[in-house]
Amino acid sequence: GIQVEQSPPDLILQEGANSTLRCNFSDSVNNLQWFHQNPWGQLINLFYIPSGTKQNGRLSATTVATERYSLLYISSSQTTDSGVYFCAVGDTGRRALTFGSGTRLQVQP
Amino acid sequence: GAVVSQHPSWVICKSGTSVKIECRSLDFQATTMFWYRQFPKQSLMLMATSNEGSKATYEQGVEKDKFLINHASLTLSTLTVTSAHPEDSSFYICSATSGLDTDTQYFGPGTRLTVL
């Protein structure tokens, strides 16, 4: 099946800093989503972005499907951004998502 | 919109007992629901896919007789962990897609199962 790798595995930032999270995938995808899992375990949809660029407030994401990677940008980070960020992909014919191992982000005040 | 709920949010049970977890789509009809399992500090792993009115499709290595999935209506799917053992202790998360938007998955808040 498709492989999804995320980097870095862990990231510690000071409040106000910017960061870039990366997701590499091993095959063509028709679905790519970024999620934030908060400390209580709830997964929150950030972006549905199988290709192109999207922005939502301090967050933006870019997927370059031909090169099989996606980037999540967090600007002016806040302590509430802490948690685990997952990239998940779906390929043709399989609607279930395959998750990467996640990036654990800690934003310190 | 697109809210998915799970019940219970946490459960503790004795080894050998069965536990039922409910997953509901509150404001849309979920043609497909997915069940994932997440062990501490690990990623989500798909257990099974269920479509309303049909049998669930299980991932390789997931025992279908142990993890019973029922998707009897367009708003409700249940996962029953039968004869639970301590190694079944995990965080179980469901997600759902609607017939109108089959690409975006909406996740429930999860159920934390502890088997003593």
Side-chain angles (χ1 to χ4, degrees):
Chain A
I2 194 165
Q3 305 297 312
V4 184
E5 294 182 354
Q6 290 186 243
S7 60
D10 296 281
L11 186 58
I12 300 175
L13 299 175
Q14 290 298 121
E15 205 167 19
N18 303 328
S19 62
T20 301
L21 282 58
R22 187 177 179 100
C23 171
N24 292 333
F25 42 96
S26 61
D27 207 341
S28 300
V29 299
N30 62 358
N31 186 349
L32 189 147
Q33 294 181 238
W34 282 97
F35 296 92
H36 175 215
Q37 188 171 38
N38 66 23
W40 298 272
Q42 173 75 63
L43 279 165
I44 300 165
N45 297 73
L46 297 177
F47 295 102
Y48 167 75
I49 187 166
S51 64
T53 298
K54 290 185 177 179
Q55 181 160 6
N56 184 2
R58 296 182 295 104
L59 302 181
S60 63
T62 296
T63 297
V64 183
T66 54
E67 297 187 21
R68 300 180 184 169
Y69 73 88
S70 182
L71 301 174
L72 177 69
Y73 305 97
I74 304 174
S75 63
S76 304
S77 58
Q78 301 175 357
T79 56
T80 52
D81 294 332
S82 297
V84 184
Y85 289 81
F86 287 106
C87 166
V89 303
D91 54 19
T92 303
R94 177 177 167 87
R95 292 161 63 193
L97 294 174
T98 299
F99 281 75
S101 53
T103 292
R104 191 172 300 273
L105 173 65
Q106 183 179 346
V107 181
Q108 297 178 337
Chain B
V3 177
V4 177
S5 71
Q6 280 185 243
H7 178 80
S9 54
W10 59 269
V11 57
I12 301 172
C13 70
K14 292 183 178 180
S15 186
T17 60
S18 295
V19 174
K20 180 184 284 188
I21 301 169
E22 293 185 348
C23 175
R24 295 182 184 271
S25 57
L26 298 185
D27 51 4
F28 66 100
Q29 294 187 326
T31 52
T32 303
M33 287 184 167
F34 305 89
W35 287 94
Y36 295 83
R37 180 166 53 181
Q38 185 180 29
F39 292 107
K41 297 191 184 299
Q42 294 189 21
S43 187
L44 281 75
M45 298 298 292
L46 179 69
M47 299 176 67
T49 301
S50 73
N51 293 296
E52 184 266 338
S54 60
K55 290 184 178 180
T57 302
Y58 291 81
E59 294 297 294
Q60 193 171 6
V62 178
E63 300 174 57
K64 61 181 180 181
D65 294 331
K66 180 171 184 61
F67 299 99
L68 301 179
I69 292 172
N70 184 289
H71 192 165
S73 78
L74 285 172
T75 59
L76 174 64
S77 176
T78 60
L79 167 67
T80 301
V81 182
T82 62
S83 187
H85 289 102
E87 58 265 30
D88 298 323
S89 298
S90 188
F91 192 53
Y92 292 87
I93 308 173
C94 72
S95 69
T97 61
S98 73
L100 298 177
D101 177 7
T102 58
D103 289 328
T104 303
Q105 287 192 27
Y106 299 96
F107 283 78
T111 296
R112 194 165 302 280
L113 170 64
T114 301
V115 184
L116 302 178

